[in-house]
Amino acid sequence: MQNGTNVKKRVLLSLLCIGISCNLVIVQAYGLKAAEVRAGGDDQKNGERDAEISDVRVQNILSAETLWLNFHEEVTISTRHEVPIERAPNIVTVIMYQDIKNAGHRALIDVLRTVPGFEILKASDLGTSFPTVRGISAVNRVRVMINGHLINNPVRGDAFFQFDDYPIENIKRLEIIRGPGSAVYGENAFLATINIITKDAGDIDGIKVSSGYGSFGTKEGDIVFGKVFDTFEISGMIHYIDTDGYDGTLESDLQTKIDNVIAPFGFPSSSRTPEDVVDFHREYDFFLNVLYKDFYFQGGYFNEKRGPFVSPLDVLSSDTSSIGDNYYFAEIGYKKSLDNKLTLKPRIYYDQFDTSYDIDSLPEGSVLPMRTDRGRLPFTFVSYPDGLKGQGGVSVKVAGMEVPVDYILFDGNIMTLGFEYRFTKQTNIRNSGNFHPVTFQPLDSNQSFSDSFPWIKDANRNLWSVYIQDVWDITDTINLTLGIRHDEYNDFNSTNPRLGMSWSFLENASLKILYGKAFRVPSFLEMYSANQPAILGNENLDPETIDTFEVGVSYKLNDHVTSRINYFYNDVEDLIELRSDSTKNISRYENMGDAHIQGIEFETQVNITKGNYVYMNYTFQDPQDNHGKTLPNVSKHKGNVGMNAAPWKYVNANLNAFFSGKRYREEGDARNDLPFYSLLNLSLLGKGFYKTMEAQATVYNLLDKDYDDPGQTTIHDDLPRPGRMFFIGLSYEF
């Protein structure tokens, strides 16, 4: 059976390669000759740092013409050093700041919705906005970095709780890999890898102050600064946001179902529903980047507190509940080139994640049916006069070092060799509540169980990694990339190869054939959760693995039209999910099985004139489990369409739409599938009308579309999402 599957994969890939190549050759034969590359135009590299500083405003203007499909743009995320995007051994998306600004996006998660294969969902337990990527939930299956520095939290394995609202004002560009990246980066580079490249001193050369106000009492402010002093550069960001959040009504929750079960026994209803979800969000961020000769420092402090939206128990929490994260990191590095052949880039780093929670789940007077082995009834009734309240926290400290070395063996061949060591320690675990964490019995007062019954265990994780990569321009038109990385943990190990070949078979057309393997180690939460009323960890979990085959064709028809089409096949093993045990009223993390996803991604852009362009992308994906059943909560069809107009040098208008097809339910879920929906956004930007002042007004969900995100089966009517919203902002650069 496995051999047949492999043959099928190879046949599909071969047919796709041949078919796409033949189509492009036919198009070329019928006279659609590609335009020659303009001297000194988009093909020119960003160049030396001084030239980049002097041309930054010109680059910002031109970026509107290069949007998503920068055919000859150079990227670093794919190989750790600059390569043209058409030769990168991954499917890569590059998004520039000005393109983000034109569209009216305000945070990282808004931008990701526009990337092929990405869809954004809301989590009911922590209030996080997170992506699905190529048919699978990607909350902890995407590696997120700031200037190459990993920011995923080891407790949950994700970065989106802390960074879904990362502000766009400090983003110079986003580089995004769709597909595996473990051969280069290791863990969590599973479905995608995102590198947030921040603005440096030359991009700013002064101070930019921004502020704005929007729906739900949203107040936001940014200060972005940068200055060059000969061999010393400094840049950074201060960010603040305070919002009451979406006030949508949750019609029912788990407590509603329990109330219906116990009503015949004479107990009154106690559910808080129907009531508004708890979606407030307050955040203070600081980021600093310093460069002195060949040395650099980057670091940041990110403080966030938000409402849990619903709660981890699927019972609507009170508005006093909150979950908070403090995260800070520091990295010192050095880059030195010797004889124009050898480049050393050692770095050391330290990260600390401090998480706290204060959750008021069950309302006062709640009654729960508890299963028991005694008596005639299969359960007994337990009353909670003061409701169910829990507080706690955990800290994770990470220290590490990495030494990558690039060596030019000969013209057109770069060898990269590196190793990394990382030590991670989970500690300072706090746990208290007004109920016993094991028996679930109510208590007369709040008590501490930090020592006797911690909600998660102390844990350490050591990592040694070694990797090697060879990027070889075999000819002027053929490029080959080979790489492999081995990660040795104290509890796991994984070896991940990759192979990428690109072929510029026409003057402005390139073909990519890619294979890569990636892995995700279980998070500390998945392994070491304990003494909780609803969730248990599993120390016997295996890492998730994925094998991905990809074929992509990019074609620049002329100076105005660029397109790309990609085929991918993902073979995922040992997916980790929560499995419910109804006999024990608890869920446990398990390796639930495998998944197989194949799909096609199509992108195109038409640059009409400077600042006037149209773009669109479409993704078809078919995610299935081992039994051929469609995976839940994701759609098979999704896409984006947008157009940008600059009718006057002082005005820019952008209209963009996202659409998602029907989203399917899990087996056994009697609810109807979630229907098709689309969201239309309109943004107007005024610039240069008074010195360096900019004013922007954006309306999100312009047509006031009513739609939901999938919720647990205990939340019958799913998770309500916002209707029409607005945000207005003003900025001034000194």
Side-chain angles (χ1 to χ4, degrees):
M1 181 67 180
Q2 185 64 37
N3 290 336
T5 302
N6 290 335
V7 170
K8 181 181 178 182
K9 294 178 192 175
R10 289 194 291 268
V11 170
L12 284 171
L13 290 172
S14 300
L15 289 175
L16 189 70
C17 292
I18 295 170
I20 293 174
S21 299
C22 289
N23 285 337
L24 286 171
V25 170
I26 291 170
V27 169
Q28 184 76 5
Y30 272 85
L32 296 177
K33 183 179 180 182
E36 294 182 355
V37 178
R38 294 170 293 182
D42 292 337
D43 283 345
Q44 185 178 358
K45 296 182 180 179
N46 289 334
E48 300 297 330
R49 178 164 48 87
D50 292 341
E52 183 181 345
I53 292 172
S54 64
D55 290 342
V56 64
R57 285 183 171 82
V58 175
Q59 293 294 333
N60 284 342
I61 294 172
L62 292 178
S63 66
E65 292 189 280
T66 57
L67 201 64
W68 319 108
L69 304 180
N70 304 356
F71 194 78
H72 299 292
E73 183 75 23
E74 293 200 335
V75 297
T76 59
I77 189 172
S78 195
T79 60
R80 291 179 179 255
H81 53 76
E82 290 186 343
V83 294
I85 196 170
E86 75 270 21
R87 294 196 171 196
N90 294 96
I91 305 301
V92 183
T93 296
V94 179
I95 309 176
M96 308 297 290
Y97 165 76
Q98 193 58 49
D99 307 322
I100 299 171
K101 185 75 172 178
N102 287 346
H105 303 311
R106 294 174 33 240
L108 172 65
I109 205 72
D110 300 326
V111 185
L112 295 181
R113 190 190 296 271
T114 67
V115 177
F118 277 67
E119 186 171 0
I120 306 303
L121 301 179
K122 188 76 169 179
S124 62
D125 55 350
L126 299 179
T128 310
S129 296
F130 68 94
T132 66
V133 179
R134 289 182 168 180
I136 301 181
S137 168
V139 62
N140 53 11
R141 299 183 177 103
V142 173
R143 183 184 180 97
V144 184
M145 304 179 292
I146 296 179
N147 299 326
H149 184 97
L150 176 65
I151 56 177
N152 290 54
N153 187 329
V155 175
R156 301 181 297 267
D158 79 308
F160 294 104
F161 181 87
Q162 185 77 63
F163 291 97
D164 57 355
D165 275 341
Y166 189 88
I168 66 120
E169 288 298 334
N170 195 41
I171 296 176
K172 178 178 180 178
R173 56 192 269 154
L174 289 175
E175 295 184 353
I176 303 167
I177 290 174
R178 301 194 301 280
S182 288
V184 181
Y185 296 108
E187 63 184 351
N188 293 107
F190 195 82
L191 296 171
T193 304
I194 300 169
N195 193 20
I196 303 169
I197 300 176
T198 62
K199 293 179 179 178
D200 57 33
D203 298 314
I204 307 164
D205 196 26
I207 299 175
K208 183 178 182 180
V209 180
S210 306
S211 64
Y213 178 81
S215 299
F216 314 123
T218 301
K219 298 175 285 293
E220 187 169 8
D222 295 277
I223 299 175
V224 181
F225 58 90
K227 194 65 178 177
V228 178
F229 304 93
D230 194 18
T231 59
F232 177 81
E233 300 180 17
I234 184 170
S235 59
M237 169 200 69
I238 300 172
H239 171 69
Y240 165 75
I241 185 172
D242 184 356
T243 179
D244 296 332
Y246 174 49
D247 56 358
T249 300
L250 191 71
E251 297 295 337
S252 65
D253 61 1
L254 176 59
Q255 188 62 45
T256 307
K257 288 195 169 187
I258 294 173
D259 289 344
N260 293 334
V261 170
I262 64 177
F265 299 95
F267 294 103
S269 298
S270 60
S271 173
R272 294 187 177 96
T273 59
E275 186 57 80
D276 295 346
V277 294
V278 183
D279 198 32
F280 71 87
H281 176 208
R282 297 177 183 89
E283 185 172 347
Y284 307 86
D285 300 331
F286 173 74
F287 178 79
L288 183 66
N289 199 342
V290 178
L291 178 66
Y292 176 69
K293 294 184 178 180
D294 297 324
F295 293 88
Y296 73 86
F297 166 85
Q298 67 167 336
Y301 172 74
F302 304 86
N303 172 280
E304 180 180 45
K305 179 177 286 188
R306 68 168 70 196
F309 203 68
V310 182
S311 84
L313 295 180
D314 294 333
V315 176
L316 185 62
S317 63
S318 73
D319 57 9
T320 61
S321 299
S322 66
I323 302 172
D325 258 12
N326 281 322
Y327 168 59
Y328 53 89
F329 79 93
E331 175 180 321
I332 299 174
Y334 176 78
K335 181 177 179 179
K336 185 67 174 179
S337 296
L338 305 173
D339 299 328
N340 294 320
K341 284 185 173 293
L342 182 68
T343 302
L344 303 173
K345 296 179 285 188
R347 65 187 184 106
I348 59 173
Y349 55 86
Y350 176 81
D351 300 69
Q352 183 161 326
F353 303 83
D354 297 317
T355 302
S356 62
Y357 66 87
D358 184 352
I359 304 296
D360 182 358
S361 289
L362 298 183
E364 294 181 0
S366 296
V367 176
L368 294 184
M370 292 290 191
R371 293 194 179 276
T372 177
D373 294 328
R374 298 189 303 271
R376 298 177 60 187
L377 294 174
F379 52 79
T380 187
F381 300 105
V382 179
S383 177
Y384 296 86
D386 299 323
L388 189 148
K389 301 177 175 65
Q391 303 82 35
V394 62
S395 296
V396 177
K397 302 176 181 180
V398 182
M401 64 173 294
E402 184 177 19
V403 183
V405 179
D406 292 335
Y407 185 74
I408 301 176
L409 294 176
F410 49 84
D411 288 344
N413 188 290
I414 301 178
M415 179 78 71
T416 300
L417 176 66
F419 73 88
E420 181 176 8
Y421 170 75
R422 186 191 313 150
F423 174 73
T424 304
K425 182 177 180 61
Q426 180 170 266
T427 185
N428 193 25
I429 297 165
R430 292 92 64 198
N431 189 25
S432 62
N434 66 346
F435 64 96
H436 194 281
V438 175
T439 66
F440 214 45
Q441 295 299 313
L443 303 173
D444 294 334
S445 62
N446 195 78
Q447 296 183 22
S448 174
F449 299 97
S450 299
D451 296 327
S452 54
F453 297 103
W455 70 273
I456 193 169
K457 299 178 182 179
D458 285 332
N460 296 332
R461 182 171 280 171
N462 292 301
L463 166 66
W464 289 92
S465 300
V466 61
Y467 53 89
I468 187 170
Q469 172 186 262
D470 187 42
V471 179
W472 183 16
D473 293 335
I474 299 176
T475 69
D476 291 340
T477 60
I478 298 177
N479 173 272
L480 181 66
T481 300
L482 300 171
I484 190 168
R485 174 172 173 139
H486 180 75
D487 293 89
E488 186 76 30
Y489 297 84
N490 57 307
D491 46 0
F492 304 103
N493 65 79
S494 183
T495 302
N496 296 275
R498 76 161 170 178
L499 166 66
M501 188 200 76
S502 65
W503 173 34
S504 299
F505 60 93
L506 294 174
E507 183 179 10
N508 281 323
S510 68
L511 166 70
K512 292 183 180 182
I513 301 176
L514 310 169
Y515 165 76
K517 185 175 182 179
F519 75 106
R520 182 182 77 85
V521 294
S523 68
F524 284 163
L525 185 71
E526 292 166 332
M527 292 187 66
Y528 300 116
S529 293
N531 305 313
Q532 295 189 50
I535 296 174
L536 277 181
N538 183 355
E539 296 185 36
N540 295 317
L541 289 173
D542 293 324
E544 297 178 340
T545 62
I546 184 171
D547 289 270
T548 298
F549 304 86
E550 299 175 280
V551 178
V553 173
S554 299
Y555 187 54
K556 186 175 181 181
L557 181 63
N558 51 43
D559 283 347
H560 301 284
V561 181
T562 306
S563 297
R564 178 184 297 152
I565 186 169
N566 311 308
Y567 168 83
F568 65 88
Y569 181 89
N570 291 336
D571 192 0
V572 186
E573 296 183 358
D574 294 320
L575 278 171
I576 299 172
E577 298 177 9
L578 275 173
R579 172 176 287 172
S580 177
D581 186 343
S582 58
T583 63
K584 298 180 180 179
N585 291 325
I586 204 161
S587 296
R588 176 184 170 95
Y589 287 102
E590 302 281 358
N591 290 111
M592 296 289 287
D594 304 338
H596 313 283
I597 308 103
Q598 61 179 334
I600 294 175
E601 299 162 338
F602 172 75
E603 307 170 73
T604 192
Q605 178 192 330
V606 180
N607 292 314
I608 303 168
T609 59
K610 182 185 295 186
N612 297 275
Y613 53 85
V614 178
Y615 66 92
M616 66 86 65
N617 61 64
Y618 164 75
T619 300
F620 168 77
Q621 55 196 13
D622 185 19
Q624 298 181 359
D625 62 17
N626 273 345
H627 306 290
K629 296 178 180 178
T630 301
L631 295 180
N633 302 333
V634 295
S635 61
K636 291 188 175 182
H637 308 273
K638 62 184 65 173
N640 294 272
V641 179
M643 63 179 184
N644 194 83
W648 193 25
K649 66 178 181 179
Y650 300 116
V651 176
N652 189 90
N654 189 285
L655 187 68
N656 60 85
F658 169 83
F659 66 86
S660 173
K662 180 170 65 174
R663 288 167 290 172
Y664 299 87
R665 297 293 191 182
E666 191 172 5
E667 184 179 6
D669 190 338
R671 295 174 296 178
N672 293 329
D673 293 332
L674 286 164
F676 167 91
Y677 75 98
S678 60
L679 303 176
L680 185 66
N681 305 320
L682 173 64
S683 184
L684 299 175
L685 176 65
K687 51 188 178 180
F689 55 88
Y690 178 74
K691 296 184 179 179
T692 59
M693 183 174 289
E694 288 186 350
Q696 187 159 22
T698 304
V699 181
Y700 306 94
N701 195 357
L702 181 66
L703 302 181
D704 200 23
K705 175 67 176 178
D706 183 18
Y707 73 105
D708 300 308
D709 277 349
Q712 300 293 336
T713 55
T714 51
I715 304 174
H716 183 270
D717 295 314
D718 293 299
L719 305 177
R721 301 306 299 129
R724 186 183 296 113
M725 302 177 293
F726 77 92
F727 187 84
I728 54 176
L730 195 67
S731 67
Y732 191 85
E733 189 170 346
F734 299 91

